Amino acid sequence: MQYSQVDAEAKAVARKFDLVVIMSTFLALIAGFHVHQMLVAGDWSFWVDWKDRNWWPIVAPIMEITFPAAVQAVLWTRFRMPIGATFCCLGLLFGEWMNRYINFNGWTHYPLNFVFPETFIPAAVVLDIVLMLTGNWIVTALVGGELWGWLFYPTNWVMIAPYHLPVEYQGSLMSVADVINYMYVRTSTPEYLRIVETGTMRSFAGGVTGVAAFFSAFVSVCMYVPWWLMGAHFFGSTKFFKTYESASTEVKHA
Amino acid sequence: MRKRVMRMMGRAGALALLGMILAGPTNRLWALGEKSQEGFLRMRTVIFYDTQFSGRKFKVGDDMTVTGKFQLLPIWPKEIAFSGISWLNFFVPGPQFLREGTWINNRFMSCSELLELGGTYEYKTIAKARYPGHWPVGIMLSMKDAGPLIGPSIYVDVEGSHEGFTNPIKTLLGNTINLEDYGQSRMLIWTLVTTLIGVAWLGFWLGRPFTSRLGVVAAGRAKELISGADKTVAVIFALGTIGLVAVANVMTASQFPHTIPIQETIIRNEPLPPEPSRVEAKVLDATYDVPSRTLAFRVEVHNTGDRPLVLKEFTTANVRFLNEQIPGNTWNPDFPEVYGGAMKITPSEPVAPGETKVLEVVLASAEWENQRLTMYHETTNRFGGLLFFSDPTGARSIIAVADQLVIPRFGVTQM
C-alpha cells in the first residue's frame, strides 16, 4: 500500500472521529446549557411579556456567559479553536427551539410569538473573536464580557419591538406583549409573578435599558472569570493523564 | 442469547411506548390536581360560591362566560401568608381558551389587584374557545406568597377546527394586528440571519481537522494553527456582526417609533358592601368520625331578623352540602361544584325571629375522603366554609366559619 493511500485513510478516519467528538459534545452542551438556562433565566426566555428592558437584559447575559466562558477555556487552550461561545450558543438556541416548537407550541398550543427564545449568537461570535485576536482570557473577560452585555438587548430588540406597541384594551393601557400574556392563559404564572421593571430606577430619568446593559456588562465580566477558570482547570485539565516516562515499569511492560 | 433478545424487546417496547406517549393526541386532559392541596388550605382561605359557567359545549370562536362570587375568609390560616396581591386566574391546560377579560366587582382586571381579608368579591370572566378538545376549565385565585387557591371547575367540549382562527386587536397607532402570529415572520427572519452568522463562523473553523489540534497545541505549536488570514476574516466577522445589529436597530427604531415598556402595577379593589345579615352564628365544636366519614358540628344560631330562618347549605373547598328538607333545595347536575350530599340538621325546625338555638349539623359523605378533606392526616385540624341561611322570601345570610377545631373519632381502641 502506498504511503499516500494510508495517509488519506488516516485523514478520513480522523475526520470521522472529529465528527463524533463534535456531535457528541454539541449534544451534551445542548442538554447542559439548556437545563442551566431554564433553571436560572427560564421565564425571561420563555415568555414575550417577561422580555422587559430592566431585568431581562441583566439576568440573561449574566447567566448565559457561564458555559461559553468554560467551553472557550477548553477549546482555546487545548485546541486553539475560537468557537467556544458560538458553539455553546448555537446549541442553546437549537435546544430552546426544539422545546418551544414541540412542547410549548405543538403540545400546549402557545403561539410561537409568545414563546420564542432570545438569541446570543452575535454576542457569542464577537466574544470568540475577541479571544482569538487578543489570545488572552483576561482581556477577553474585560472587553468581550463588556461587549457581551452591551450587545444583548440591541440584538434582541429587533425581534421584540413589535410587542411593545401600545394597546388600549378594555379601557387599560397595555403593551401588545401584556395583551398576549393576558389572553393566552398561563395558569401557573400569574401576573404578579413576573419579574419585570417596576419603575424603581427613579434616578436615571427613564434611561433604564442603558443602566441595565451597563450593569449586565460589568457583571458579565465578573462571571466570565470563574467560569473560564473552571473550564480551564477542571474540564480542560489533562492532569489525570500521565506521560509515558512517568509511568511505572509494570505499566510500561503491560 | 434469550436474555439478550428479551432485553432488546423490552427496550424496543419502552421506546415504542415513549413514542406513543409523545405522539399521542393532546386534546384531552383527565385531571388538574385540584385535590393535591391540603384540606385546611382549601377550606380556610377562599370560598367560591354562586359559580356559573355559561355552557359545556362550544364551537371554536364561541364565548364562554363564568360568573360567581368568592370570599376571603376573615381568619386566614397563619401557616399561609396573606399578601392580598391577587390575580383571578382562569385555569385551562394551555391556551385552549383565550381570556378576553376578567372583571372583579365590575372593574376590568388588567393587572394584579389588592384584595382585602374578609372581603367578598363578584367576578366575571369571558373566554373564547380556541382549540377543539375536551378541556377542564375553572376559576382560581392566585395570591402572592399564598399560591394558587382553586375554585370550581368543569369539563367542556369544544368542536370545530383551529384552522383560520384569528385574534385581531387594534393598537393605539391605529393598525389592527392578529395576535395568533403577529411579529412571527420578523422574529423568524432575524433569528435565522443571526444564526447563519454563527453557523458560518463555526463552519469556518470546523472545516479543519479538529481533534488532531490537541496534539499540535500540546507540542507547543499552537501559533501555527491561526494564520493572519484567519485574523482578517475574524475582524470582518466581528465588525460585520456589530454593524448588522446597529443597522437593524436603526431600522427598528424607524419602524416602531412609539413603544411602551411592559406594564406593571397593582390596583386596589374594594370588596362588595356587606350584605344585611339577619343571623348571628357561631360553631361551638366539631368532630370528624373516621369510619363513617362524617363531619358533625354544633352551631349556635341567633335570628336577629323578623322572619324565620333555616340553614340551607354549607359550602367548603368547592364541595356543597344541601339541606334537602327545604323544598326545591336539591342538587342540580349543572352545578360546577362537587355534591357532598344532604345535610342532616337537628332540630330541623326553622329558627324563629329573636330565637337562639343550637343546631347539630351532620355531614356524612364519602367526599371527605374523595376530595382529601380529612384533616386528621394534616398538621392543622381546623375547618372552614360558608353557612347559608335563608328566610321564606329567599333572602340569604352568609356566615363564614373560618377557624373551627375538629376532633377526629377513630372508632376503634388501638393497642
Side-chain angles (χ1 to χ4, degrees), chain B residues 225-363:
Chain B
L225 294 172
I226 292 178
S227 68
D230 290 338
K231 289 183 180 176
T232 308
V233 170
V235 170
I236 292 168
F237 257 95
L239 293 179
T241 305
I242 294 171
L244 180 71
V245 170
V247 169
N249 270 264
V250 171
M251 288 170 67
T252 303
S254 68
Q255 288 166 342
F256 301 97
H258 302 292
T259 57
I260 60 168
I262 302 291
Q263 299 296 291
E264 177 72 24
T265 188
I266 294 169
I267 292 174
R268 185 186 185 86
N269 202 333
E270 297 289 334
L272 292 174
E275 291 178 23
S277 179
R278 301 159 196 88
V279 65
E280 291 168 1
K282 186 185 173 192
V283 178
L284 302 175
D285 50 43
T287 60
Y288 179 73
D289 187 66
V290 176
S292 65
R293 298 177 290 197
T294 301
L295 179 77
F297 58 87
R298 291 189 311 136
V299 56
E300 188 180 75
V301 181
H302 175 53
N303 187 344
T304 58
D306 54 4
R307 297 189 190 99
L309 284 174
V310 288
L311 177 55
K312 197 177 172 184
E313 180 181 334
F314 175 68
T315 293
T316 185
N318 306 316
V319 183
R320 293 174 71 177
F321 297 87
L322 303 178
N323 181 355
E324 294 179 352
Q325 290 178 330
I326 300 171
N329 192 33
T330 51
W331 183 255
N332 181 341
D334 284 339
F335 289 160
E337 296 88 357
V338 174
Y339 178 46
M343 300 169 81
K344 191 179 164 195
I345 301 167
T346 313
S348 59
E349 295 77 24
V351 183
E355 185 185 10
T356 300
K357 194 160 44 176
V358 174
L359 304 179
E360 187 182 4
V361 181
V362 177
L363 309 167

Side-chain angles (χ1 to χ4, degrees), chain A residues 31 42 63 74 80 100 104-105 133 143 145 163 188 205 210:
Chain A
M63 290 299 155
V74 179
R80 262 310 174 269
R100 309 304 159 83
F104 285 69
N105 181 254
L133 294 179
V143 178
Y163 305 103
S188 57

Side-chain angles (χ1 to χ4, degrees), chain A residues 145-164:
Chain A
E146 279 288 332
L147 285 169
W148 175 271
W150 281 106
L151 273 172
F152 174 74
Y153 198 76
T155 301
N156 289 282
W157 175 247
V158 178
M159 292 190 286
I160 65 161
Y163 305 103
H164 285 251

Side-chain angles (χ1 to χ4, degrees), chain A residues 34-63:
Chain A
H34 192 199
V35 168
H36 163 89
Q37 188 265 354
M38 284 193 287
L39 288 175
V40 296
D43 281 304
W44 283 280
S45 177
F46 296 151
W47 314 109
V48 74
D49 67 306
W50 278 64
K51 291 178 169 60
D52 73 328
R53 60 184 186 179
N54 184 347
W55 286 103
W56 182 47
I58 289 177
V59 176
I62 290 171
M63 290 299 155

Side-chain angles (χ1 to χ4, degrees), chain B residues 11 62 137 161 164 170 236 257 265 295 317 366 395:
Chain B
R11 283 176 186 168
D62 285 353
V137 295
S161 165
K170 198 172 180 182
I236 292 168
T265 188
L295 179 77

Side-chain angles (χ1 to χ4, degrees), chain A residues 15 18 79-80 82 108-109 113 154-155 158 163-164 166 169 178 182-185 187 191-192 194, chain B residues 89-90 96 99-100 102 109 112 130 143 172 180 182 186 190 201 206 208 210-211 213 249 260 263:
Chain A
R15 204 66 197 130
D18 282 354
F79 296 86
R80 262 310 174 269
T108 47
H109 303 147
N113 62 3
T155 301
V158 178
Y163 305 103
H164 285 251
Y169 188 71
D178 289 315
Y182 194 89
M183 299 185 96
Y184 294 85
V185 179
T187 309
E191 190 270 345
Y192 58 76
R194 293 192 304 181
Chain B
N89 233 322
F90 173 71
Q96 320 308 342
R99 176 178 38 212
E100 293 178 278
T102 292
M109 182 191 75
S112 297
R130 181 169 172 255
M143 186 181 289
L172 278 175
E180 286 288 306
Y182 172 62
R186 181 186 181 89
W190 183 245
W201 178 248
L206 291 180
R208 312 167 186 203
F210 179 68
T211 42
R213 294 166 76 97
N249 270 264
I260 60 168
Q263 299 296 291

Side-chain angles (χ1 to χ4, degrees), chain B residues 7 15 20-21 63 67 78 86 107 154 162 166 185 203 266 274 290 297 307 325 345 348 355 409-410:
Chain B
R7 201 183 305 140
L15 267 176
M20 279 160 63
I21 291 168
D63 280 350
T67 55
K78 196 183 170 189
S86 309
R107 182 179 197 166
I154 59 169
H162 178 72
T166 58
S185 306
I266 294 169
V290 176
F297 58 87
R307 297 189 190 99
Q325 290 178 330
I345 301 167
S348 59
E355 185 185 10
R409 304 274 189 238
F410 294 100

